[in-house]
Amino acid sequence: MSKRIALYTLQTFSSTGGIQKMTRTLAHSLTQLSEDNGWDFKLWSVYDSDHDLMPQYLPAKNFKGFGVNRIVFVLRTLIAAPDIVLISHVNLAVIGLLLKFFNPKCKVWLIAHGIEVWRPLPPYKKLFLKRCEKVICVSNYTKQQMVNKHHLDPQKCIVLNNAVDTFMKLPTSFNKPAHLLKRYGLTTQNQIIFTLTRLAVTEQYKGHDQVIKVISQLKSNFPGIKYILSGKYDHKEEIRIRKLIADYDVSEQVILTGFIEERELSDHFLLADLFVLPSKKEGFGIVFIEALANGLPVICGNSDGSVDAIRDGELGKAIKVDNLDELEDAIKEYLSTPLTDEKRKYLKERCMFHFNETEYKNKLANLINDGERN
């Protein structure tokens, strides 16, 4: 029997972040599964407009952007009555509850990412967690948070790790891009640490502070060391970071790039010798598997979903994020051994073995088919 499947999101194409990237891959996978199996799939987004669609992910006939017209969005979702609805964010809990009320046969699944569901939730969101049929968790850590903090049945919480975006440009060789060396005033002799993250004064758990502090200790042993810190930052965070750079006397070592266009992301991974993001609150950390898919070694934190992205140490190193000595030693260990093309190729291949979209799509198909039987 043909299935009618809907994915409801806050935002998918009009901004770039981990949740948006995950949702694009999910939409692309569901589009392919629907084409292969004769299902009917639709992606509806509250804040996107129709013209925001990136057509490589799904055809325009499968997408509707409501451009913040939330009333129309709510009414349309209640009329549509699909068989399975995937809710991309807990902030759409009201939609999920309304769907269960007006169409009890509809199976509603929540996708749980990270901090949005780790914290205490208001009563209506807690009720939604109880009412939805499945909670798709992007990491084992997030699943544990759902069980421990919200007392959900572990059988209800399914782990589905994120996948590398099938449209991400991946390297066939590992030369450092000449145009970026020129842009940042670097040479191939510089040892380059790279961090890419959202830089907001309200989100000081990403660990870039720790890296800046450690760079001040590393620069004597690694005189050519550079730290490229990338990501869109607000004004207050820029002031705070620049003061930290001055306080630790690393203005010659730290390069703030601001926002990086997605088309240049792979080149920045190729430019670097090591990716470091010792965050405390990553639901999974798509940026880790993006770095690994470009053959770049990874250091992450050991207290969140990041460990799933490095396969519990198979693909990278997890450290205690508040232990500066441990972070310094981990960076030293990587930088003391040259990063060869063979090492980069190995990391790329192992990452794509574990986090490819084909495997992701197969797991998703099994969830949908099992969901129909249950």
Side-chain angles (χ1 to χ4, degrees), residues 298-317:
V298 162
I299 295 175
C300 64
N302 69 351
S303 59
D304 58 14
S306 306
V307 293
D308 274 27
I310 64 165
R311 299 279 301 175
D312 294 319
E314 176 189 347
L315 301 179
K317 190 174 185 63

Side-chain angles (χ1 to χ4, degrees), residues 52-63:
D52 291 318
L53 173 67
M54 298 175 181
Q56 66 267 38
Y57 292 97
L58 75 164
K61 64 184 177 66
N62 290 25
F63 175 71

Side-chain angles (χ1 to χ4, degrees), residues 44 64 66 68-78:
W44 288 358
K64 175 63 182 172
F66 289 83
V68 306
N69 197 334
R70 286 173 284 185
I71 294 175
V72 175
F73 174 78
V74 172
L75 293 174
R76 289 281 300 273
T77 56
L78 296 181

Side-chain angles (χ1 to χ4, degrees), residues 230-241:
S230 298
K232 185 177 180 179
Y233 45 73
D234 57 41
H235 182 61
K236 287 184 179 180
E237 181 65 358
E238 180 185 10
I239 291 173
R240 194 183 72 83
I241 291 173

Side-chain angles (χ1 to χ4, degrees), residues 276-328:
V276 183
L277 184 64
S279 176
K280 295 179 180 179
K281 296 181 181 179
E282 297 300 308
F284 174 81
I286 285 180
V287 70
F288 294 123
I289 60 174
E290 289 179 333
L292 291 163
N294 284 273
L296 186 61
V298 162
I299 295 175
C300 64
N302 69 351
S303 59
D304 58 14
S306 306
V307 293
D308 274 27
I310 64 165
R311 299 279 301 175
D312 294 319
E314 176 189 347
L315 301 179
K317 190 174 185 63
I319 56 99
K320 296 176 183 176
V321 296
D322 292 323
N323 189 324
L324 290 180
D325 291 336
E326 190 170 335
L327 176 59
E328 182 180 348

Side-chain angles (χ1 to χ4, degrees), residues 28 37 40 50 66 71 160 167 172 197 205 222 230 241 247 297 348 368 373:
H28 184 255
N37 294 279
D40 176 40
D50 287 342
F66 289 83
I71 294 175
L160 179 63
F167 297 107
T172 54
T197 189
Y205 54 79
F222 301 93
S230 298
I241 291 173
D247 290 346
K348 174 188 172 183
I368 292 171
R373 287 191 289 267

Side-chain angles (χ1 to χ4, degrees), residues 73-294:
F73 174 78
V74 172
L75 293 174
R76 289 281 300 273
T77 56
L78 296 181
I79 294 169
D83 302 306
I84 298 175
V85 169
L86 290 87
I87 301 287
S88 75
H89 198 287
V90 74
N91 284 352
L92 289 170
V94 169
I95 293 295
L97 288 171
L98 289 172
L99 283 167
K100 293 305 295 180
F101 180 79
F102 286 104
N103 184 15
K105 292 183 179 180
C106 176
K107 292 182 169 61
V108 180
W109 302 353
L110 170 69
I111 301 166
H113 302 276
I115 57 173
E116 87 283 0
V117 289
W118 297 350
R119 57 171 68 105
L121 297 175
Y124 77 95
K125 290 183 180 179
K126 291 181 181 179
L127 179 61
F128 175 57
L129 293 181
K130 301 296 183 184
R131 293 283 175 84
C132 66
E133 277 76 16
K134 290 185 187 296
V135 178
I136 310 300
C137 304
V138 301
S139 66
N140 285 283
Y141 183 84
T142 290
K143 175 179 178 176
Q144 211 53 52
Q145 294 299 300
M146 302 306 291
V147 173
N148 294 343
K149 289 187 181 296
H150 304 301
H151 311 294
L152 295 186
D153 181 349
Q155 298 301 314
K156 184 176 184 173
C157 301
I158 311 298
V159 176
L160 179 63
N161 289 150
N162 296 323
V164 176
D165 187 333
T166 195
F167 297 107
M168 185 176 191
K169 180 187 72 174
L170 298 181
T172 54
S173 62
F174 298 100
N175 297 323
K176 296 196 174 194
H179 70 284
L180 290 184
L181 290 171
K182 182 178 179 181
R183 179 188 300 177
Y184 298 127
L186 305 172
T187 74
T188 55
Q189 302 306 307
N190 289 115
Q191 291 178 293
I192 300 166
I193 299 171
F194 181 39
T195 294
L196 174 68
T197 189
R198 183 171 54 251
L199 299 168
V201 74
T202 56
E203 297 183 21
Q204 295 178 18
Y205 54 79
K206 295 291 188 176
H208 49 282
D209 296 40
Q210 304 292 72
V211 184
I212 290 171
K213 295 172 185 176
V214 164
I215 292 293
S216 69
Q217 301 299 317
L218 290 168
K219 65 181 184 179
S220 58
N221 291 328
F222 301 93
I225 196 170
K226 298 290 183 179
Y227 179 37
I228 296 180
L229 176 55
S230 298
K232 185 177 180 179
Y233 45 73
D234 57 41
H235 182 61
K236 287 184 179 180
E237 181 65 358
E238 180 185 10
I239 291 173
R240 194 183 72 83
I241 291 173
R242 292 194 183 279
K243 182 178 186 304
L244 195 65
I245 290 169
D247 290 346
Y248 282 86
D249 191 24
V250 288
S251 58
E252 293 297 315
Q253 286 74 37
V254 181
I255 301 170
L256 293 176
T257 71
F259 177 75
I260 292 178
E261 297 284 348
E262 281 195 69
R263 57 186 170 81
E264 286 200 313
L265 184 53
S266 288
D267 283 347
H268 280 79
F269 288 132
L270 286 176
L271 178 67
D273 300 284
L274 180 63
F275 185 84
V276 183
L277 184 64
S279 176
K280 295 179 180 179
K281 296 181 181 179
E282 297 300 308
F284 174 81
I286 285 180
V287 70
F288 294 123
I289 60 174
E290 289 179 333
L292 291 163
N294 284 273

